[in-house]
Amino acid sequence: MSSNSKETTIILSDWIRRALVGVDLSAYGTDPSQWSSTICNSMALCSDDYLMPALRVAYSLANQICKEEATGKSPTLSVDWVDNIIVHGNNRVGCESMNDGGRRRDSLDSIAFLDSLGFDPSDAGGDNFADNLFESVINDHDSTTFSEEERDEGIEGDCGDYIRAHFASSIFNTNDDDNDGGLSRDAMQRIYSLGVVFYVLFSGGERPAAHFSTAIEFVEQKLSGKSDTETEELSQELSEDLDPLPFEHAPIDLAVELSILDGIGDDEYVQDPLGDNNFDDAPQHPNPKKRQSSQQNCNISNSCSVPVESLREKGLPSPLCDLVANMLDCTNASRFSGEDSYQSMSDVRSDLRLMLDNPNTFLRDLDMTKLSTTGSQFIEKMFGRNVELSTIKDAYRRSISGDCGLVTISGTSGTGKSLLANEFGKFVSADGGIFLSGKFDQLQQGKPFSALASTLDQYCGILLLEEMVSTKEKVAFQLRSVLGKEAYHLTKIIPNLATILGSALPVLSHSEDCINAQKRVQYLLCQFVEVISSSSSAPITLFLDDLHWADAASIAAVNQLLFASGPLSHRKFFFLGCAREKDSATKWSNAVDILVAGGIHVKLDCMDEHTLNTMVSESLCLSPRLTRPLSNVIYHKTKGNPLFVSQLMRSLNKEGLLRPSLSRRRWEWDTKKIRSRRLPDDVAIFLTDSLGELPDKVQRALFVLSCFGASLESAFVESQGLDRNILKNLEIAVAEGFVDKINDQYRFAHDRIQEAAYNTIPAHRRCIIHFKYGIELSSLLIGDKDVISSVLFTAVNQLNLGGPPAVQDESHYITAARLNLRAGKKAMEMSDYETAYSYFDSGISFLRKKHWQEHYALSLELYSLAAKCALTNVVAKAHFFEDKLDVLYFETCALAYSSRLAESIEKGLDILSKLGIEVQGTNVEARVQEMKDLLSSHTDDEILNSKPMTDPTMIIA
């Protein structure tokens, strides 16, 4: 509580009145003068200015009872709790500053309240009784002190308003509950009595009609011996305060009436043709034709012993009305076994806490119209990963201090790896850092630096925005200074970089050997990250998803960024990667293994039952105690896999087993049918089955999307001549939750959904379709020298995924070979020689017999460049120099065969030097003559009987 806010004390009934009067309805765009006092009162009750403080009052009362019960005490059930509740707080929430005169006024208000109950103060000590009663309650409360911990327990609002309610300690006594493991009758009565208090609190001071039975008996006793005038006056006062009885003019219970309509069309609605219904199995329900199981917890209509329809009529949120109803229903023995009823006071406290902490989820009414028309829109939120998130945050903070920051997340498919990474991304952005993200794709492994390049290109795209002009100019100046003309090589990987640098860059040749070219690109990438980090004074976080599909060039570049020596190691750079856990279907490359071993490894498992229930609870906007039966069933069917859970809930909603109820304004479900539903153990099989339930056109659209990878731009579909109906059908997939639409990009909600969509078509048909798309795209590339490289790679990847067996037109063999040659050259320009080799090799596979005679130039170029890249890959990746010697020998021979003898000799001498053999001079003829002279001094038998050479190095030399 703020130190400059004076804490005041007031009884509950007066706080309710003052808090309602203090609500400024004009702040909600309403002119109070245009409405009746009843409507204004309802509007005030439903406003956050009243509702949130009232919830904090309710929470503090439930919290006090829970604490007292833990010490063996409980409030006396024989007294009226409402009259023994004190509210204290600052003057922002209905507790105006009070002096002695103020207290006197409050006590007079209390007299009026007691008088409204027909209680004659003179019968209990004269006119000063109310004064004495109020003073004793206040003094009793004033003697109670509260710790800082108690003050912090959900009782301070967003604007610093402080409020707390407390029972007078004099009403507590030793708890004599005879509880044999269940809920005792007294415990039920305490929940009921607190429910009465909540009814008064949230109704604006009204008392529930059924609660007045004891008061009526008390008044009837008081009426005996009074005059007719006194009797009429007292009866009139009571009738004004009592809720109308449910007779002729009682309001219709719309919830009960509408519940008849819920589920019409379900197979549960049956009519016994003989009229012999099994009433033993039928629930107490207004519609006797619907047979329900007692296990269908949300189909049971909670007929509370004290009606709360007056709360609903005032417009109070349904979750709050249900909370009060479930508390008041505790004494209804025939209904207490229902799962909605409260089992303990701690459950009440927990639900109130949820409403206070997350009102948008647990307090506000659901938009039932939207849910009924659009279906489920379950939230994508991280649950149960706080420990793992803290581990990543700690590593990130250390990286800012200069340490090498590397964290990898692994886990089985669907455990929420990407969700955890994106949650961390929100933290980085909020902390002022730069969060760059990219995703590798199984079907786009042929694109050099696929994820890394697209991520850095995306950042350059952000710099091109108008509001980033000053940063762009700063980055451009520093890049020109640091990279110079070498920036040309980076523009081949990062197209937007050329726009940032502005002026035309000189075109550089690629005459140097492949190994040096790869090292150059890695060095330039390090320099690029250094520049963008220093120019923004912000640490850089690079997140790459699905590392198990990463290309070798990208992993090598990341290693260079992380483990560079010298001044580069002082940059504020943090790397976060996600990879599916290694199994029989998922393999990691050695490069990924090395990368993972160099940092912190976070492993994700499936959710436990408690975490899953939290997920279900927030998804359905219901208390965890209500969703626990449903979440238990879901857990045993999904083993807690988050992806499986979310997809199963969508499926249940689609089937009507999990549905919004218009009458109850909340979700309901059929536990028995959900439990009996058979599901596969593998989420992949479940997703495949779920996709099979979609219309054929939608399945076809999803397959087309999967052919091109995890995502597809709508502009790509429109510009490349693909079927325009694909976009319309993808919109249906978005509505079903299988695809996300971000701006104009369609992206699978999860890579497992992509795999399931891809596998809906048999493998042999997939090849034909891939090749068809490749040919359609390639027709747009012929003769276009300025085509965007990503489109070229996309077309060639489609051709290669189809392969030679998919060719149906002989001319397409040469088309595919030439486009592979073109793509390989483009990959070499980007210094990704391993990817380049794969293109050359694929191009060779499309060549037919007699290709040397018929397509000599094409064959020569494919084989030559393939050999060059192959030699480079072996030399670059062999662990020991001796392992490279065979390849180096072939290289020297190739140089000699191509009439480049001088280069061959120079290469051979360099190899011998590395083996420790120094050859003086480069006159080949002189060296040959020396060898002849050496051999001539020995007979043939001496040479043949010489001891064989055993030194492997000398043998290779």
Side-chain angles (χ1 to χ4, degrees):
M1 184 180 66
S2 176
S3 59
N4 58 3
S5 298
K6 183 178 179 181
E7 184 176 301
T8 55
T9 308
I10 189 173
I11 65 173
L12 178 62
S13 55
D14 286 334
W15 179 85
I16 294 172
R17 176 177 56 79
R18 294 186 182 189
L20 289 173
V21 172
V23 175
D24 183 9
L25 295 179
S26 62
Y28 295 88
T30 301
D31 183 3
S33 62
Q34 297 180 353
W35 306 99
S36 67
S37 59
T38 301
I39 294 178
C40 288
N41 183 66
S42 295
M43 295 174 66
L45 282 171
C46 298
S47 69
D48 281 355
D49 287 348
Y50 178 79
L51 199 56
M52 300 311 293
L55 277 171
R56 296 201 292 275
V57 167
Y59 174 80
S60 58
L61 293 174
N63 187 47
Q64 183 188 9
I65 295 178
C66 288
K67 289 186 174 183
E68 295 290 350
E69 286 180 341
T71 62
K73 295 182 180 180
S74 61
T76 303
L77 297 174
S78 59
V79 301
D80 191 335
W81 286 9
V82 176
D83 293 337
N84 285 274
I85 296 174
I86 306 302
V87 180
H88 66 96
N90 58 21
N91 54 16
R92 299 185 183 184
V93 285
C95 298
E96 293 87 346
S97 298
M98 298 188 304
N99 50 28
D100 291 341
R103 270 200 184 184
R104 176 63 181 170
R105 183 176 66 253
D106 291 333
S107 66
L108 293 176
D109 292 335
S110 301
I111 292 175
F113 177 74
L114 293 174
D115 189 48
S116 70
L117 298 181
F119 192 89
D120 187 355
S122 62
D123 293 340
D127 294 337
N128 293 329
F129 169 74
D131 272 350
N132 296 334
L133 172 63
F134 184 69
E135 290 293 337
S136 66
V137 173
I138 291 292
N139 291 333
D140 177 65
H141 169 73
D142 288 343
S143 64
T144 304
T145 59
F146 303 102
S147 65
E148 288 299 321
E149 179 183 358
E150 291 175 316
R151 291 184 181 278
D152 292 336
E153 288 182 343
I155 52 180
E156 185 167 351
D158 295 335
C159 301
D161 50 330
Y162 173 84
I163 188 169
R164 184 184 184 85
H166 209 274
F167 289 99
S169 60
S170 60
I171 73 168
F172 284 90
N173 56 18
T174 302
N175 190 346
D176 295 327
D177 290 357
D178 184 15
N179 192 344
D180 57 356
L183 191 60
S184 70
R185 182 175 183 83
D186 283 350
M188 290 190 293
Q189 186 62 44
R190 285 194 294 273
I191 297 175
Y192 170 85
S193 297
L194 188 60
V196 173
V197 173
F198 288 178
Y199 187 103
V200 173
L201 176 62
F202 295 112
S203 66
E206 297 178 6
R207 301 251 179 160
H211 183 66
F212 269 105
S213 59
T214 55
I216 293 174
E217 294 174 1
F218 172 77
V219 172
E220 288 176 348
Q221 184 179 5
K222 293 297 180 181
L223 288 177
S224 60
K226 291 188 178 292
S227 65
D228 293 342
T229 302
E230 293 174 325
T231 300
E232 183 178 354
E233 291 176 354
L234 184 57
S235 299
Q236 179 65 26
E237 292 174 358
L238 280 171
S239 65
E240 292 176 356
D241 284 325
L242 291 176
D243 285 344
L245 295 175
F247 295 146
E248 181 179 0
H249 302 292
I252 298 175
D253 188 344
L254 293 178
V256 174
E257 298 299 326
L258 286 174
S259 65
I260 299 175
L261 302 178
D262 282 346
I264 287 181
D266 292 351
D267 56 6
E268 292 181 276
Y269 283 84
V270 295
Q271 178 66 49
D272 189 338
L274 301 178
D276 185 17
N277 290 318
N278 186 354
F279 292 102
D280 292 335
D281 296 335
Q284 300 299 318
H285 193 277
N287 183 9
K289 291 185 292 182
K290 185 174 182 180
R291 299 178 181 177
Q292 299 177 352
S293 167
S294 61
Q295 297 297 321
Q296 297 172 354
N297 60 304
C298 287
N299 288 338
I300 299 175
S301 179
N302 289 330
S303 57
C304 173
S305 59
V306 176
V308 296
E309 283 310 305
S310 61
L311 299 182
R312 303 184 193 276
E313 292 168 1
K314 295 177 187 296
L316 289 168
S318 292
L320 183 60
C321 297
D322 290 341
L323 179 143
V324 176
N326 292 336
M327 295 177 70
L328 295 175
D329 193 43
C330 280
T331 55
N332 186 353
S334 63
R335 289 286 181 182
F336 187 69
S337 60
E339 293 176 347
D340 282 9
S341 299
Y342 280 102
Q343 303 295 313
S344 68
M345 189 65 72
S346 61
D347 285 342
V348 177
R349 177 177 61 179
S350 297
D351 285 359
L352 290 169
R353 183 88 225 193
L354 289 172
M355 291 181 179
L356 282 168
D357 292 345
N358 195 353
N360 290 332
T361 299
F362 295 105
L363 178 62
R364 313 298 183 198
D365 282 330
L366 297 175
D367 187 347
M368 304 306 297
T369 302
K370 181 178 179 181
L371 287 175
S372 300
T373 55
T374 63
S376 60
Q377 297 293 328
F378 299 119
I379 57 177
E380 290 293 336
K381 181 181 176 182
M382 185 185 73
F383 294 94
R385 306 299 189 194
N386 292 332
V387 174
E388 292 85 353
L389 181 60
S390 296
T391 300
I392 302 174
K393 287 180 179 179
D394 291 341
Y396 171 76
R397 295 187 183 99
R398 290 194 298 270
S399 72
I400 295 177
S401 302
D403 291 347
C404 176
L406 166 61
V407 174
T408 53
I409 306 172
S410 70
T412 57
S413 180
T415 50
K417 301 180 291 295
S418 303
L419 202 60
L420 173 60
N422 290 325
E423 190 70 21
F424 169 71
K426 297 176 184 177
F427 163 77
V428 171
S429 300
D431 200 46
I434 299 173
F435 187 77
L436 307 177
S437 63
K439 180 182 177 69
F440 292 103
D441 196 313
Q442 182 182 9
L443 297 182
Q444 297 195 25
Q445 290 178 299
K447 289 186 177 181
F449 299 99
S450 57
L452 181 60
S454 63
T455 300
L456 298 179
D457 193 55
Q458 180 185 13
Y459 174 74
C460 291
I462 296 174
L463 293 180
L464 293 175
L465 299 176
E466 291 184 5
E467 58 270 23
M468 300 293 290
V469 173
S470 60
T471 305
K472 183 196 76 172
E473 293 176 352
K474 184 178 180 181
V475 170
F477 175 78
Q478 292 186 3
L479 285 174
R480 292 191 196 100
S481 302
V482 174
L483 303 181
K485 63 180 182 180
E486 295 293 326
Y488 168 80
H489 300 293
L490 275 187
T491 60
K492 294 299 181 179
I493 302 174
I494 310 172
N496 279 325
L497 181 58
T499 307
I500 291 177
L501 295 177
S503 58
L505 295 170
V507 178
L508 303 181
S509 65
H510 293 77
S511 58
E512 76 277 18
D513 64 80
C514 304
I515 299 176
N516 290 334
Q518 288 180 320
K519 291 180 179 179
R520 179 195 59 221
V521 168
Q522 293 171 6
Y523 173 79
L524 292 175
L525 283 172
C526 291
Q527 294 296 319
F528 178 78
V529 172
E530 178 81 14
V531 169
I532 63 175
S533 178
S534 61
S535 63
S536 64
S537 301
I540 300 291
T541 295
L542 176 62
F543 164 53
L544 297 180
D545 203 359
D546 288 344
L547 286 175
H548 46 280
W549 304 129
D551 58 283
S554 294
I555 296 299
V558 171
N559 274 306
Q560 181 74 10
L561 288 169
L562 289 170
F563 305 114
S565 59
L568 296 179
S569 62
H570 299 293
R571 81 170 61 85
K572 298 176 181 178
F573 179 77
F574 182 77
F575 177 80
L576 178 64
C578 287
R580 192 182 298 173
E581 192 174 54
K582 288 195 293 186
D583 53 32
S584 58
T586 305
K587 304 294 185 181
W588 290 2
S589 65
N590 292 333
V592 174
D593 280 325
I594 295 172
L595 182 67
V596 171
I600 298 173
H601 184 206
V602 175
K603 185 177 182 302
L604 297 187
D605 296 315
C606 292
M607 298 183 294
D608 57 27
E609 289 190 63
H610 174 75
T611 303
L612 189 150
N613 188 40
T614 301
M615 176 181 177
V616 175
S617 169
E618 293 199 19
S619 298
L620 302 182
C621 299
L622 285 172
S623 164
R625 70 180 180 86
L626 298 177
T627 59
R628 192 168 292 113
L630 172 63
S631 63
N632 286 343
V633 176
I634 293 177
Y635 177 81
H636 286 94
K637 290 186 174 294
T638 64
K639 302 300 184 290
N641 183 288
L643 174 64
F644 205 162
V645 172
S646 61
Q647 291 300 320
L648 176 58
M649 292 180 68
R650 286 190 174 93
S651 177
L652 294 175
N653 174 232
K654 187 176 180 180
E655 296 174 13
L657 300 179
L658 176 63
R659 57 188 178 271
S661 168
L662 293 176
S663 63
R664 305 189 68 196
R665 302 190 64 80
R666 52 169 278 188
W667 289 93
E668 65 180 12
W669 53 87
D670 191 325
T671 308
K672 183 177 180 180
K673 284 190 174 182
I674 294 173
R675 183 181 290 110
S676 62
R677 181 181 173 183
R678 300 186 63 180
L679 295 176
D681 294 332
D682 188 357
V683 63
I685 300 176
F686 175 78
L687 290 173
T688 301
D689 294 343
S690 299
L691 291 175
E693 298 173 0
L694 295 173
D696 292 341
K697 292 182 178 179
V698 179
Q699 292 185 51
R700 171 72 179 182
L702 288 173
F703 171 73
V704 172
L705 175 58
S706 71
C707 285
F708 291 93
S711 62
L712 190 65
E713 299 282 348
S714 59
F716 179 85
V717 177
E718 295 170 352
S719 63
Q720 305 305 327
L722 297 178
D723 186 358
R724 301 294 178 87
N725 290 326
I726 290 175
L727 298 180
K728 182 175 66 175
N729 291 316
L730 285 179
E731 291 290 342
I732 299 176
V734 171
E736 294 290 339
F738 293 105
V739 174
D740 296 327
K741 186 179 181 181
I742 304 174
N743 297 325
D744 289 330
Q745 185 186 69
Y746 294 91
R747 177 179 291 273
F748 280 105
H750 195 275
D751 58 351
R752 272 305 180 105
I753 299 177
Q754 174 190 350
E755 293 172 16
Y758 188 68
N759 291 326
T760 56
I761 303 295
H764 69 282
R765 286 188 56 199
R766 288 202 300 263
C767 293
I768 296 174
I769 294 172
H770 275 303
F771 196 85
K772 174 187 174 184
Y773 286 140
I775 290 296
E776 290 177 355
L777 293 175
S778 66
S779 64
L780 305 174
L781 306 178
I782 296 177
D784 186 357
K785 296 181 179 180
D786 299 323
V787 68
I788 300 175
S789 59
S790 61
V791 177
L792 171 63
F793 290 131
T794 299
V796 177
N797 285 339
Q798 291 296 308
L799 294 173
N800 294 341
L801 286 169
V807 177
Q808 298 176 338
D809 186 334
E810 287 292 327
S811 64
H812 291 164
Y813 284 114
I814 299 304
T815 300
R818 285 174 175 161
L819 287 174
N820 269 287
L821 175 62
R822 187 174 173 180
K825 289 181 177 180
K826 181 69 68 173
M828 290 182 69
E829 290 180 10
M830 301 170 71
S831 300
D832 186 355
Y833 291 92
E834 184 169 352
T835 300
Y837 172 77
S838 70
Y839 283 125
F840 297 137
D841 187 52
S842 296
I844 291 172
S845 70
F846 281 102
L847 296 176
R848 299 295 88 190
K849 293 181 179 180
K850 298 184 179 181
H851 61 87
W852 281 106
Q853 292 82 4
E854 298 174 359
H855 302 284
Y856 175 77
L858 174 62
S859 301
L860 179 62
E861 199 167 9
L862 279 172
Y863 276 96
S864 298
L865 292 176
K868 181 179 181 179
C869 291
L871 291 172
T872 301
N873 290 331
V874 173
V875 173
K877 295 185 177 183
H879 293 170
F880 306 101
F881 181 74
E882 288 76 6
D883 297 337
K884 307 176 185 180
L885 290 176
D886 284 340
V887 171
L888 294 175
Y889 170 73
F890 295 141
E891 185 177 2
T892 57
C893 292
L895 290 172
Y897 295 150
S898 59
S899 301
R900 297 162 64 181
L901 187 59
E903 292 181 46
S904 176
I905 293 173
E906 183 179 357
K907 188 76 174 179
L909 294 175
D910 179 65
I911 296 172
L912 291 174
S913 175
K914 292 179 179 178
L915 290 173
I917 301 174
E918 297 294 339
V919 179
Q920 301 297 327
T922 58
N923 190 325
V924 178
E925 293 181 358
R927 301 284 79 76
V928 172
Q929 186 60 46
E930 288 180 6
M931 179 59 65
K932 288 182 177 180
D933 293 342
L934 177 63
L935 293 176
S936 64
S937 62
H938 298 279
T939 64
D940 291 344
D941 291 336
E942 289 177 338
I943 294 174
L944 292 174
N945 293 325
S946 297
K947 184 178 180 181
M949 186 181 294
T950 58
D951 188 339
T953 301
M954 297 304 295
I955 293 175
I956 295 174

